[in-house]
């Protein structure tokens, strides 16, 4: 059975971008693949979170993974920092990662611009840690959103380079996976390209109907179509992207027709969209609230996941050590 790995940084609650970019694929893949879904807590250290936030955020993501429907009997759910073998592989991959190529990554350049007083080496080597997460289980598929494309390109490069340096055919080249024909990018409703925590424009799975309505009603729009069947500008296309993912086909077609005959009222569209997002969230939100009270159960799942992930990682590291030339006892 082919292996799948993916992770999410625990920097708060899961948002709709995380869900439609990654988690939705997890839900399908857990039935067909050997899946490892993890909480990328080491990755979150690039921004110096407080210790209490690290513990709580990891538990939040675990709870929300489960509330979305990830089944711990089918998939291995674990926290990255429970599997130290990842760090050993990170070190080996870093030895074959070049300063120039790391500095050229757009994600590095963006982060460096956002936090100029903390351009740390962890930020620079973020792609090698991500490659280690994937290669530690020799995964072939990685369900991620469009924003991770460059990191995935780097992971493939590091897999190829390791194989070339040691003359082996050990690591498979992992590919991004998306349920849709193209990689998913969930937009922000504030006119920015992407929904994201650092963009501060998220609709969270935990948001209730009132919060969602407030956020959606604030969505950026324009003065309205001036000619029938005109192309939708980005901010309007963004609203339709949301209708497409959470509303019925009838609702989508209804507003699309209104757009095409220039009779659309954005206020009506937003109200409907807010209702549909709230309906999508409601069962997940209920389960988040229910599961978060059951700390013993959550701890048990975290322990079991750590054990299973550790077993797979230890096997890879033993082989990697042999390939590199370290003695294994
Ligand atoms: P992170 O925590 O930023 O996001 C987690 C997942 O959600 C997807 N995503 C989106 N998809 C579509 N539209 C959006 N607006 C949107 N926002 C977020 C991301 O593509 C991602 O799949 N580097 C990763 C975490 C990571 C990882 C890994 C992922 C660490 N190691 C190994 C896969 C494999 C990150 O920061 O994702």
């Amino acid at each position: 059975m082919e292996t799948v790995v993916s992770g999410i940084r625990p920097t708060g609650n899961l948002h709709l971008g995380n869900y439609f970019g990654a988690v939705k694929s997890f839900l399908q893949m857990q039935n067909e693949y050997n899946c490892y879904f993890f909480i990328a807590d080491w990755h979150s250290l690039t921004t110096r979170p407080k210790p209490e936030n690290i513990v709580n955020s990891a538990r939040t993501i675990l709870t929300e993974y489960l509330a979305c429907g990830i089944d711990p009997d089918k998939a291995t759910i674990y926290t990255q920092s429970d599997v130290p073998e990842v760090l050993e592989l990170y070190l080996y991959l870093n030895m074959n990662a070049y300063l120039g190529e790391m500095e050229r990554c757009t994600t590095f350049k963006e982060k460096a611009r956002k936090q100029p007083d903390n351009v740390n080496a962890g930020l620079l080597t973020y792609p090698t840690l991500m490659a280690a997460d994937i290669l530690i289980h020799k995964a072939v598929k990685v369900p991620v959103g469009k924003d991770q494309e460059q990191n995935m390109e780097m992971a493939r490069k590091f897999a190829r380079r390791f194989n070339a340096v040691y003359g082996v055919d050990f690591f498979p080249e992992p590919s991004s996976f998306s349920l849709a024909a193209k990689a998913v990018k969930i937009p922000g409703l504030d006119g920015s390209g992407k929904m994201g925590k650092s963009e501060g424009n998220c609709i969270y799975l935990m948001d209730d109907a009132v919060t969602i309505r407030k956020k959606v009603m604030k969505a950026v729009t324009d003065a309205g179509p001036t000619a029938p069947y005109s192309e939708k500008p980005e901010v309007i296309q963004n609203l339709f992207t949301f209708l497409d993912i959470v509303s019925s086909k009838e609702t989508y077609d209804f507003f699309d027709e209104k757009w095409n005959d220039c009779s659309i009222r954005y206020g009506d569209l937003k109200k409907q969209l807010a209702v549909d997002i709230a309906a999508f969230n409601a069962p997940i939100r209920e389960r988040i609230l229910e599961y978060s009270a059951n700390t013993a159960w959550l701890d048990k799942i975290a322990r079991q996941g750590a054990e299973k992930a550790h077993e797979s990682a230890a096997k890879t590291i033993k082989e990697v050590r042999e390939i590199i030339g370290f003695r294994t006892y």
Side-chain angles (χ1 to χ4, degrees):
M1 206 195 280
E2 287 184 324
T3 299
V4 167
V5 169
S6 199
I8 295 187
R9 274 172 305 134
T11 45
N13 295 88
L14 291 186
H15 55 77
L16 291 179
N18 297 138
Y19 186 91
F20 288 99
V23 176
K24 196 171 173 207
S25 303
F26 296 181
L27 298 177
Q28 180 166 324
M29 294 182 109
Q30 66 181 348
N31 297 314
E32 297 159 32
Y33 297 92
N34 177 27
C35 288
Y36 295 89
F37 300 134
F38 71 96
I39 297 151
D41 55 352
W42 276 324
H43 275 110
S44 70
L45 292 184
T46 55
T47 56
R48 297 200 184 126
K50 294 202 167 60
E52 60 273 23
N53 289 351
I54 294 184
V55 182
N56 292 338
S57 303
R59 179 165 283 176
T60 299
I61 301 289
L62 172 62
T63 311
E64 296 191 351
Y65 269 173
L66 295 165
C68 286
I70 300 180
D71 180 345
D73 293 329
K74 291 180 183 165
T76 303
I77 311 174
Y78 67 99
T79 303
Q80 187 184 34
S81 62
D82 281 338
V83 185
E85 288 83 359
V86 172
L87 287 186
E88 188 171 340
L89 185 56
Y90 170 56
L91 179 127
Y92 300 145
L93 297 178
N94 272 332
M95 297 299 173
N96 293 311
Y98 304 115
L99 182 60
E101 65 186 346
M102 306 304 279
E103 279 176 335
R104 278 194 300 278
C105 286
T106 35
T107 40
F108 171 69
K109 287 196 264 185
E110 259 169 41
K111 286 269 164 76
R113 209 177 42 239
K114 270 190 198 148
Q115 50 183 74
D117 52 345
N118 183 17
V119 186
N120 57 67
L123 213 52
L124 184 73
T125 57
Y126 190 106
T128 43
L129 182 54
M130 182 156 157
D133 293 326
I134 298 167
L135 300 179
I136 197 73
H137 302 297
K138 299 176 85 175
V140 291
K141 286 200 171 75
V142 183
V144 280
K146 190 167 167 48
D147 57 310
Q148 296 299 315
E149 261 167 16
Q150 188 171 41
N151 284 331
M152 287 303 301
E153 193 50 57
M154 297 301 279
R156 282 190 284 277
K157 193 187 266 190
F158 295 134
R160 274 197 303 274
R161 196 171 290 157
F162 181 93
N163 290 346
V165 166
Y166 295 104
V168 290
D169 184 16
F170 184 69
F171 286 124
E173 281 186 42
S175 56
S176 307
F177 177 89
S178 170
L179 289 176
K182 281 195 301 187
V184 176
K185 183 173 95 175
I186 302 301
L189 287 177
D190 54 353
S192 77
K194 173 191 152 186
M195 179 178 288
K197 270 171 226 146
S198 32
E199 285 74 11
N201 61 2
C202 296
I203 299 179
Y204 296 100
L205 296 174
M206 252 310 269
D207 283 346
D208 60 19
V210 175
T211 311
I212 292 166
R213 193 176 152 109
K214 271 193 207 141
K215 289 183 178 176
V216 174
M217 293 317 280
K218 275 200 268 179
V220 176
T221 52
D222 64 1
T226 48
Y229 291 93
S230 48
E231 199 182 315
K232 298 182 183 91
E234 192 181 351
V235 285
I236 305 305
Q237 184 51 53
N238 288 349
L239 288 171
F240 277 86
T241 300
F242 276 94
L243 285 180
D244 189 33
I245 56 176
V246 295
S247 304
S248 67
K249 185 170 179 316
E250 290 69 37
T251 303
Y252 183 96
D253 290 347
F254 174 81
F255 287 108
D256 199 36
E257 262 171 45
K258 297 261 173 210
W259 166 266
N260 284 330
D261 67 16
C262 300
S263 66
I264 193 157
R265 287 160 51 146
Y266 293 137
D268 292 348
L269 187 158
K270 287 180 183 178
K271 273 184 214 147
Q272 183 63 47
L273 182 58
V275 167
D276 291 345
I277 294 176
F280 172 81
N281 273 10
I284 300 178
R285 191 182 134 76
E286 242 170 65
R287 284 193 295 269
I288 295 173
L289 293 172
E290 183 195 330
Y291 294 173
S292 55
N294 201 343
T295 49
W297 179 63
L298 293 171
D299 287 347
K300 187 169 149 237
I301 290 171
R303 258 196 317 275
Q304 276 173 357
E307 256 168 50
K308 281 208 271 177
H310 170 72
E311 205 177 291
S312 155
K315 184 169 177 295
T316 305
I317 277 298
K318 182 173 182 295
E319 289 174 294
V320 166
R321 283 178 153 252
E322 279 163 8
I323 290 169
I324 293 179
F326 291 121
R327 217 156 11 133
T328 49
Y329 297 94

